[in-house]
Amino acid sequence: MDENGVPRIASSFYCPLTMTVMKDPVQDREGNSYERGAIMRWLEIKDTSPITRNKLKWRHLTPNRALREAIEFEEKRRQRLLEKRQSQKSAMYHEPNRFHDMKHGSVIEKVINECLSEMKINARLDSWGIAFVPMNKLKQKLNMLMVIEALPSRDIFRLCTHVDAVINNTLSTIESDCNRVLRDLIQCGKHGSLTLKKVNNSMRFCFEGKAREITTTQNFRDILFMFVEVAFRMKRKLEAIASYDG
């Protein structure tokens, strides 16, 4: 259950790139599904699957209509349950919150896009609040892709990337080594909002913060460079682990 008492949406309904529920899912030849816009932008920069790292071209993608229909059915069901819960509460309690979310959504979108423009990075948040940024634009020789998420309906933002330095290790070794690396980085930098999770054959590294904390482009720039620097240190440590184990 979520904070509204409504069952959470199944994890298979989420795009592995954006970590948001898919609206227009497409499927590759290996059976992996993605949000169409997200995987197309990924393939503008990469020519491999973000999950398996096998070769992937746009022509290999086909609409996943069964998944789309399942998602639409589940969202309608959740909406009915949510409306039932909300009808039991005072409208006066919710109206200011909706206004607050819209206000913060527009502010953080403006700040993030202005920051990317000032840094001469050719990326902007799309209508879903998502942008893809090559991390070598922020740190040379860091060949990784960063996803910026600033969802208009939520008071949070995320910076995410994938680290695939340890994909040849066993699952137990990956989990223990990565947890140790992350624990060391958090203790050194006190970045308690960082998470590291195994997603198929790579590690998903994220920073999550409150949208209301982003008020200036310099503020967001500082967070960007913090994330990039920690991601760089994370990648080096995991590569060292993989090299030692190999």
Side-chain angles (χ1 to χ4, degrees):
M1 296 288 182
D2 63 14
E3 64 273 13
N4 296 308
V6 177
R8 296 184 183 278
I9 292 181
S11 59
S12 59
F13 291 175
Y14 286 79
C15 172
L17 285 171
T18 67
M19 295 305 291
T20 58
V21 178
M22 290 179 277
K23 296 183 181 299
D24 186 14
V26 293
Q27 181 174 286
D28 64 19
R29 295 186 300 184
E30 297 177 287
N32 303 306
S33 292
Y34 315 88
E35 179 61 48
R36 181 188 297 274
I39 190 62
M40 292 302 286
R41 287 191 294 272
W42 170 279
L43 292 175
E44 289 176 0
I45 302 171
K46 306 269 190 175
D47 62 353
T48 57
S49 163
I51 294 179
T52 65
R53 297 301 188 266
N54 293 329
K55 287 290 184 181
L56 180 63
K57 301 292 184 181
W58 64 266
R59 62 177 179 273
H60 299 155
L61 303 173
T62 56
N64 193 335
R65 295 185 178 87
L67 178 58
R68 179 172 181 169
E69 291 175 0
I71 292 173
E72 290 175 349
F73 176 84
E74 178 63 15
E75 287 188 329
K76 289 178 181 177
R77 186 179 74 90
R78 281 174 49 82
Q79 184 61 32
R80 289 195 296 268
L81 290 173
L82 182 58
E83 289 173 355
K84 183 178 179 180
R85 300 286 191 277
Q86 290 179 334
S87 66
Q88 301 171 357
K89 300 179 181 179
S90 169
M92 293 179 63
Y93 178 79
H94 285 279
E95 285 300 328
N97 285 342
R98 283 199 290 269
F99 175 77
H100 173 78
D101 289 343
M102 291 171 62
K103 180 179 178 182
H104 266 297
S106 61
V107 169
I108 191 170
E109 179 181 356
K110 180 179 179 182
V111 170
I112 290 176
N113 285 338
E114 285 183 357
C115 180
L116 295 175
S117 178
E118 289 174 2
M119 298 170 69
K120 298 185 177 359
I121 296 176
N122 187 24
R124 298 293 181 272
L125 292 174
D126 60 20
S127 58
W128 293 332
I130 297 170
F132 293 84
V133 176
M135 294 174 74
N136 59 11
K137 300 291 185 181
L138 301 167
K139 190 177 185 69
Q140 289 185 350
K141 299 182 180 180
L142 185 55
N143 187 25
M144 298 164 64
L145 188 69
M146 173 170 57
V147 180
I148 302 175
E149 302 175 15
L151 307 182
S153 60
R154 301 182 64 186
D155 187 30
I156 62 171
F157 71 94
R158 294 193 192 98
L159 307 178
C160 302
T161 190
H162 285 79
V163 182
D164 57 5
V166 293
I167 58 175
N168 293 323
N169 290 23
T170 63
L171 177 60
S172 59
T173 303
I174 288 175
E175 290 178 337
S176 60
D177 287 339
C178 291
N179 286 336
R180 174 172 56 79
V181 169
L182 181 59
R183 186 169 57 251
D184 291 345
L185 291 174
I186 289 176
Q187 289 175 349
C188 293
K190 298 182 179 179
H191 303 303
S193 297
L194 297 173
T195 58
L196 183 66
K197 295 181 180 179
K198 186 174 186 295
V199 179
N200 296 300
N201 290 328
S202 66
M203 306 303 297
R204 191 169 191 268
F205 183 48
C206 289
F207 172 84
E208 182 174 301
K210 296 290 186 181
R212 64 173 67 94
E213 298 171 358
I214 304 301
T215 56
T216 67
T217 57
Q218 184 59 51
N219 184 207
F220 186 68
R221 184 193 297 253
D222 292 343
I223 292 175
L224 274 183
F225 279 104
M226 176 279 293
F227 180 78
V228 170
E229 184 58 34
V230 177
F232 177 68
R233 291 162 57 193
M234 173 83 69
K235 188 172 188 295
R236 290 184 62 182
K237 286 195 174 189
L238 294 180
E239 285 175 342
I241 290 172
S243 175
Y244 176 79
D245 289 345

